[in-house]
Amino acid sequence: MRTLSTVLLAAAASFALTGCGKDEGTVTDGAASGADTTVTVTSTDDACTLSATSATPGSVAFTVTNEGGQVTEFYLYRGEDIVGEVEDIGPGLTRTLTVDDLAAGTYTSACKPGMSGDGIRADFTVG
Amino acid sequence: MFVSNALVGLREGLEAALVVVILLAFLTKTQRTWGIRWVWAGVGTAVALSVALGALLTYGTRQLSFEAQEVVGGTASIVAVAFVTVMVFWMKSAARSISGELKGKLDRALDLGPLAVALVGFLGVGREGLETAIFFYATAQAAGSGNNLPLLGWAVGIVGAVVLGWLMYKGALKINLAKFFRWTGIALVVVAAGILAYGIHDLQEARVLPGLNTLAFDVSHIIDPGSWYAALLKGILNFTPQTTVLQAVAWVAYVGVVMTLFLRPAPPTVAAPAERPDAAHETATA
């Protein structure tokens, strides 16, 4: 029993250590506290509306609300790379993607209602 | 709003439940009942940890980076595959020892202790747990702002997964002992290959592994990822309509190697040494 709890504690600790990272692209839910810029995203089954299409360099919180009938996802790409994503945003839910230290440049935002295809994309400028 | 969130709950619940169901069926079927409470200890720890970490990430100031979340999920999945693979061969050796017992021999060459059993339960649930917990808190927040449907949907989905898991458990117990190991072993190999592919995809998203955009196939125009059958395919087999080349290669290689080794006829049994004390007691007091 003692050995078991030790190992499970160690596993828990490693989970926690990996978890509390400092790097970019943070998935949080609820209030987007502390980000330099907050962008509100409304995803429906055929539209992806962002409250702003640009931000200053720094941390940006995308608060994504799904007002459609399908499960949606929100991505921020730079070229082909995923800078951050939040998946499984069920209808009626709000989930937040916080990206820390977003550098100046051109990015692509995308909502993926129905979880397939390239998504509804738009340019997102940081600078 | 209800159905879509229910399908998310069903999918994640099944992903977490399958390995545990097969492990419990195996322990019950081979009268290794000592192991059952250890499985639940592992499962309970995974659930408690996920619920606590999920709350911390939702309501606290600490945040989990997107890449860290994918790395945790991906690594836990691949470690789970390693343990499940050991379990597959444990089943094979158990099948031999059962036939050995019929001939009056006892072979316990390969037997997992309580710790390993608990770890399989822990990893089987834990790899999916954090994601599920964070989703749960999102539905709870929607309920807090007056919309109960997502939370209700999610809860019904989880209950559905538990019921399906229980039915699979009952079904597996009905299989006669001679066929039991063969079929649960085959099922476990396929499930483990799916978990491996899932882990690889997580690591590709975190850019730990390359090739996220190099797809082997994309059948998302045929299998709608939002449908109930896609939820079942993903929940049980971890099948994704869009599969990368690396995922496909890993899946085929894993099934090819492990299934072949599992189905290969066992060499003639060597006379086992005299009966040893129950391995369970040995390890438990170690």
Side-chain angles (χ1 to χ4, degrees), chain A residues 4 8 12 15 18-20 23-30 69 80 82 85 87-88 90-91 93 95 114-116, chain B residues 1 4-5 11-12 38 45 58 62-66 68 70 72 115 118 134-135 139 141 150 205 207 212-213 225:
Chain A
L4 175 77
L8 293 182
F15 253 92
T18 346
C20 302
D23 48 347
E24 54 185 59
T26 305
V27 181
T28 51
D29 289 270
E80 293 280 279
I82 298 176
E85 61 158 18
E87 294 180 331
D88 284 336
L93 299 187
R95 301 187 64 174
M115 302 178 283
S116 67
Chain B
M1 198 174 278
S4 304
N5 288 301
R11 185 191 74 213
E12 297 195 330
W38 292 101
T45 310
T58 305
R62 283 300 184 86
Q63 296 171 340
L64 180 60
S65 87
F66 151 70
E70 301 296 327
V72 168
L115 188 63
I134 291 176
F135 185 85
T139 65
Q141 285 179 326
E205 285 188 317
R207 277 172 288 164
L212 180 63
N213 299 309

Side-chain angles (χ1 to χ4, degrees), chain A residues 12-95:
Chain A
S14 59
F15 253 92
L17 283 177
T18 346
C20 302
K22 22 77 239 182
D23 48 347
E24 54 185 59
T26 305
V27 181
T28 51
D29 289 270
S33 55
D36 300 333
T37 315
T38 300
V39 177
T40 309
V41 183
T42 306
S43 176
T44 64
D45 289 343
D46 50 15
C48 184
T49 316
L50 278 72
S51 65
T53 54
S54 63
T56 49
S59 59
V60 182
F62 297 90
T63 308
V64 190
T65 301
N66 183 2
E67 292 185 357
Q70 299 175 294
V71 177
T72 194
E73 301 171 339
F74 180 79
Y75 290 80
L76 190 68
Y77 296 101
R78 184 165 207 178
E80 293 280 279
D81 285 339
I82 298 176
V83 178
E85 61 158 18
V86 51
E87 294 180 331
D88 284 336
I89 311 167
L93 299 187
T94 299
R95 301 187 64 174

Side-chain angles (χ1 to χ4, degrees), chain B residues 99-121:
Chain B
S99 57
E101 274 166 13
L102 294 177
K103 293 174 215 139
K105 291 170 189 161
L106 194 65
D107 172 18
R108 282 186 183 270
L110 180 60
D111 210 343
L112 296 184
L115 188 63
V117 167
L119 264 175
V120 174

Side-chain angles (χ1 to χ4, degrees), chain B residues 172-240:
Chain B
L173 290 188
K174 287 208 176 86
I175 304 173
N176 86 50
L177 202 56
K179 290 181 188 152
F180 176 83
F181 296 107
R182 193 174 181 84
W183 288 111
T184 48
I186 290 172
L188 208 48
V189 172
V190 174
V191 167
I195 297 175
L196 179 64
Y198 172 100
I200 285 175
H201 192 259
D202 271 6
L203 295 182
Q204 287 182 309
E205 285 188 317
R207 277 172 288 164
V208 172
L209 290 175
L212 180 63
N213 299 309
T214 316
L215 295 182
F217 59 82
D218 180 357
V219 291
S220 54
H221 55 290
I222 304 168
I223 299 172
D224 171 10
S227 65
W228 63 269
Y229 50 89
L232 283 181
L233 277 174
K234 176 108 201 302
I236 296 172
L237 301 174
N238 262 303
F239 175 83
T240 46

